[in-house]
Amino acid sequence: ERGITIKAQAVRIYYQHGSGQQYQLNLIDTPGHVDFSYEVSRSLAACEGALLVVDATQGIQAQTLTNMYLALENNLEIIPVINKIDLPASEPDRISTELQQAFGFKESDMLFVSAKVGSGVKNVLDAIVDRIPSPNADITQPLQALIFDSMYNSYKGAVAYVRVFQGSIKTRDRIKMMASAATTEAMEIGVFNPHPTEIHELFAGEVGYIATGLKNVSDCGVGDTITKEFNEARESLPGYVPLKPMVFAGIYPSDGESFMELREALEKLSLNDSALVYENEMSIALGPGFRCGFLGLLHMDVVQERLEREYKLALLATSPSVSYRVSLADGGQISVDNPSNLPAVQEIEQIQEPWLNLRVITPSKYIGPVMELLNTRRGEYILMEYLQYGVNASNSISGYNEGRVLIEYGIPLSEVLFDFYDQLKSISQGYASMDYSITGYRPSKLVRLDILVNQKPVDALSLIVHRDKAYQNGKALVERLKEIIPRQLFEVPIQAAVGSRIIARQTIKALRKNVLAKCYGGDVTRKRKLLEKQAEGKKRMKRVGNVEIPQEAF
């Protein structure tokens, strides 16, 4: 619905080649967005080759570079495909030149396709058969099947999506997971055509699924190797290096009663999305929940949406933060991904935050605004490179291709979390694309910004921010909270504090009940007495009253 792929999808097709021979092709469609590079790396490890699909109107994007290097690391045969050539704004020749210059392809390697109208598709299928080597597999060897994805089915248990490298497997064979040592029986074996279709046996070189019946989802992890229980393979296949989560947020059920349902949903979802990590967390303001780790903001957004849609949960997510390394005065070092866990200022020697190497590809006319945005986010310039190769800009149909530029900056991850991608798209009218990789940690002047409502700190609203930005962030937060928190019968101060110092404040005025309505005539002291009694009551209420913070505040 957003025009992006968020999950790798496998399919098997049969294709009649020009030579008259029929071939079985096993394909995986992967996401391209940087937050899902884990899906791409897992898929590449299970394949012999890859199609590099580039948009004929947009050209090389930042994630194209990253995914291309991933494929080269896996020694895959790469077929460049230029798609959407039917659009009036397409410039296939310019994009072809760009790909040849950037990656060293030959002109004869290029395939020009319009998937929409179907032109050039036969050439792509012929190229897969001609250029990509067939699997190097031996059916007589002990079974070795790599789990590249998995899902949970309430009737069949954990269902492993596998690529069989050696040997074969039939329904009812006893199987063993080599990493978790769990044993079970293969309840059902099938292939994707594109819907799961049951078959009797899977052979080396083929791709399909195995319904394991395992109810404990952690027994069937992605990257594990399946072998037979009584004829084990000598060694497991090289799995995947688990990616470290970069963005952390608290996820809580809207009502405390759904806590167990949320835990089960996270267990099942983490089987299908192994980049998701979570642990129990208790918040004073929100009750029991989970601290979840994600690969990026889009990943967090998708996980939250899937939990709400697929598992019918009403959820509340706290503001995202990153993982900081804190060096303590006593010589120790701890990792902090929740602002409320940051030690007191006097105990801290130094705080280090994660830095990115950020690559932005943009049309050259937007260089100024893009660099200004990067500089305001504490970015450090590394390099700038033009990607336009000998093409006259006046020939450009869309007016967008006056030359494209790759800009590389070092930037803190925390600065990319909030609004950065939206601002980048808006200043470049949607043409800029970005991609990043983590380069390490650097020391920085960071402080914890606490929010106090009615002089009580609210742990779920705390943030870790750069000292120079503490005032503007605190001011913006208290102003926003003033609009969201409903008025009470007493005055409610909302304060932003760094340590013991208040840096911003807003006050929600009290609702005033007219106690003089029943008082008519008589001495003025009667009115004063009623007003003093009201003031006394409000003082007491402010001392003992609790302010209910609505969910949208978090």
Side-chain angles (χ1 to χ4, degrees):
E1 68 199 45
R2 297 190 197 181
I4 50 172
T5 313
I6 58 162
K7 191 83 195 77
Q9 194 69 39
V11 68
R12 168 189 287 195
I13 60 169
Y14 289 94
Y15 175 62
Q16 190 90 20
H17 189 254
S19 63
Q21 191 168 348
Q22 193 181 56
Y23 288 88
Q24 181 195 115
L25 308 180
N26 288 293
L27 311 171
I28 304 177
D29 174 30
T30 67
H33 194 279
V34 61
D35 278 12
F36 299 98
S37 58
Y38 191 48
E39 297 267 339
V40 181
S41 66
R42 289 189 341 217
S43 304
L44 292 174
C47 294
E48 271 74 31
L51 299 178
L52 181 73
V53 184
V54 178
D55 190 322
T57 60
Q58 298 256 5
I60 295 174
Q61 294 196 302
Q63 61 258 34
T64 314
L65 297 171
T66 305
N67 292 338
M68 180 69 184
Y69 295 138
L70 274 175
L72 290 171
E73 279 170 28
N74 283 276
N75 297 319
L76 299 193
E77 183 65 41
I78 295 159
I79 301 173
V81 178
I82 296 172
N83 188 24
K84 300 189 184 178
I85 58 168
D86 61 304
L87 296 179
S90 71
E91 296 173 284
D93 294 337
R94 184 184 66 78
I95 306 298
S96 171
T97 313
E98 229 175 66
L99 281 166
Q100 288 168 52
Q101 297 272 359
F103 303 124
F105 292 120
K106 298 190 190 80
E107 198 173 342
S108 57
D109 293 340
M110 299 293 160
L111 297 175
F112 299 93
V113 170
S114 166
K116 187 177 176 183
V117 300
S119 71
V121 175
K122 192 173 184 331
N123 298 342
V124 174
L125 293 166
D126 283 340
I128 291 173
V129 173
D130 297 336
R131 297 190 207 172
I132 292 175
S134 57
N136 179 18
D138 187 348
I139 299 172
T140 60
Q141 293 291 320
L143 174 69
Q144 273 185 317
L146 179 72
I147 304 176
F148 66 85
D149 203 351
S150 48
M151 59 162 282
Y152 188 81
N153 182 300
S154 47
Y155 301 110
K156 300 171 188 172
V159 179
Y161 294 8
V162 296
R163 151 79 199 266
V164 185
F165 278 87
Q166 305 290 353
S168 65
I169 178 170
K170 295 181 183 153
T171 312
R172 300 291 166 209
D173 276 353
R174 294 290 302 173
I175 54 173
K176 179 180 178 181
M177 314 290 154
M178 293 187 79
S180 65
T183 58
T184 183
E185 188 179 86
M187 286 171 62
E188 185 185 310
I189 288 171
V191 294
F192 306 102
N193 283 320
H195 301 293
T197 308
E198 191 174 349
I199 61 167
H200 180 59
E201 191 168 9
L202 268 180
F203 295 99
E206 295 189 327
V207 174
Y209 68 86
I210 301 171
T212 64
L214 291 168
K215 296 296 179 191
N216 187 355
V217 294
S218 59
D219 288 341
C220 185
V222 169
D224 203 344
T225 303
I226 296 180
T227 189
K228 288 188 182 170
E229 191 178 351
F230 304 114
N231 182 17
E232 276 189 47
R234 286 189 192 155
E235 55 187 34
S236 56
L237 294 161
Y240 313 111
V241 180
L243 286 187
K244 285 187 179 158
M246 288 289 111
V247 176
F248 296 86
I251 289 189
Y252 298 87
S254 294
D255 56 342
E257 292 168 12
S258 313
F259 176 75
M260 294 308 287
E261 285 97 317
L262 176 58
R263 191 169 75 180
E264 279 174 28
L266 279 168
E267 267 180 17
K268 289 171 186 172
L269 194 58
S270 66
L271 177 70
N272 192 237
D273 180 355
S274 49
L276 168 69
V277 298
Y278 62 93
E279 59 181 33
N280 284 16
E281 182 179 67
M282 188 72 192
S283 161
I284 300 163
L286 301 171
F290 293 92
R291 190 85 188 155
C292 300
F294 310 94
L295 296 180
L297 278 187
L298 177 67
H299 186 213
M300 173 182 158
D301 208 18
V302 166
V303 166
Q304 195 180 340
E305 213 157 291
R306 286 186 69 186
L307 286 170
E308 286 173 348
R309 285 191 196 177
E310 293 172 26
Y311 300 97
K312 309 286 185 289
L313 293 166
L315 298 178
L316 196 153
T318 64
S319 160
S321 71
V322 302
S323 181
Y324 298 93
R325 282 185 189 160
V326 181
S327 303
L328 302 172
D330 62 8
Q333 192 181 60
I334 57 169
S335 188
V336 174
D337 57 49
N338 187 346
S340 58
N341 294 342
L342 192 71
V345 182
Q346 58 272 22
E347 294 174 33
I348 297 171
E349 184 74 34
Q350 185 188 69
I351 303 178
Q352 293 182 317
E353 62 178 337
W355 273 65
L356 308 173
N357 193 334
L358 183 76
R359 292 171 293 281
V360 175
I361 293 181
T362 176
S364 56
K365 67 177 177 184
Y366 302 117
I367 291 175
V370 168
M371 290 182 80
E372 192 181 326
L373 172 66
L374 289 161
N375 289 329
T376 59
R377 299 295 184 114
R378 297 194 283 140
E380 291 178 4
Y381 174 81
I382 298 173
L383 68 86
M384 186 161 77
E385 211 174 276
Y386 279 81
L387 296 175
Q388 195 71 359
Y389 303 104
V391 178
N392 185 354
S394 60
N395 297 337
S396 166
I397 300 171
S398 61
Y400 129 69
N401 297 310
E402 303 127 8
R404 295 197 309 139
V405 183
L406 166 68
I407 303 170
E408 208 166 300
Y409 261 71
I411 192 169
L413 172 59
S414 57
E415 294 289 344
V416 180
L417 279 191
F418 296 99
D419 256 8
F420 179 82
Y421 189 65
D422 294 344
Q423 284 190 27
L424 180 68
K425 283 291 185 189
S426 95
I427 60 177
S428 65
Q429 296 181 358
Y431 284 118
S433 64
M434 70 172 231
D435 183 72
Y436 58 78
S437 53
I438 300 291
T439 53
Y441 282 76
R442 286 205 213 167
S444 197
K445 294 176 184 171
L446 299 167
V447 291
R448 185 173 75 197
L449 180 68
D450 289 316
I451 300 295
L452 290 82
V453 175
N454 199 20
Q455 287 159 1
K456 292 176 189 167
V458 182
D459 59 347
L461 292 176
S462 296
L463 295 172
I464 295 176
V465 295
H466 194 268
R467 190 185 291 279
D468 298 345
K469 294 191 171 185
Y471 170 69
Q472 66 197 65
N473 282 1
K475 186 170 179 285
L477 259 173
V478 293
E479 283 172 1
R480 189 82 186 85
L481 284 169
K482 185 188 174 185
E483 294 167 24
I484 292 171
I485 296 173
R487 287 172 72 186
Q488 312 289 321
L489 287 170
F490 52 93
E491 201 175 72
V492 178
I494 302 172
Q495 299 159 308
V498 173
S500 57
R501 192 163 58 90
I502 304 294
I503 58 170
R505 171 180 168 137
Q506 288 286 333
T507 306
I508 300 172
K509 293 277 180 265
L511 281 171
R512 188 158 181 267
K513 184 182 173 188
N514 187 4
V515 290
L516 302 181
K518 62 183 181 183
C519 187
Y520 50 91
D523 189 12
V524 73
T525 53
R526 286 182 65 198
K527 289 183 181 176
R528 196 178 299 138
K529 197 172 166 186
L530 285 168
L531 288 169
E532 280 170 4
K533 191 176 172 189
Q534 183 187 35
E536 193 61 44
K538 288 202 173 186
K539 255 188 213 167
R540 189 171 65 252
M541 200 185 282
K542 189 173 182 179
R543 236 179 9 252
V544 297
N546 280 328
V547 180
E548 189 73 30
I549 300 173
Q551 288 180 6
E552 58 265 29
F554 297 102

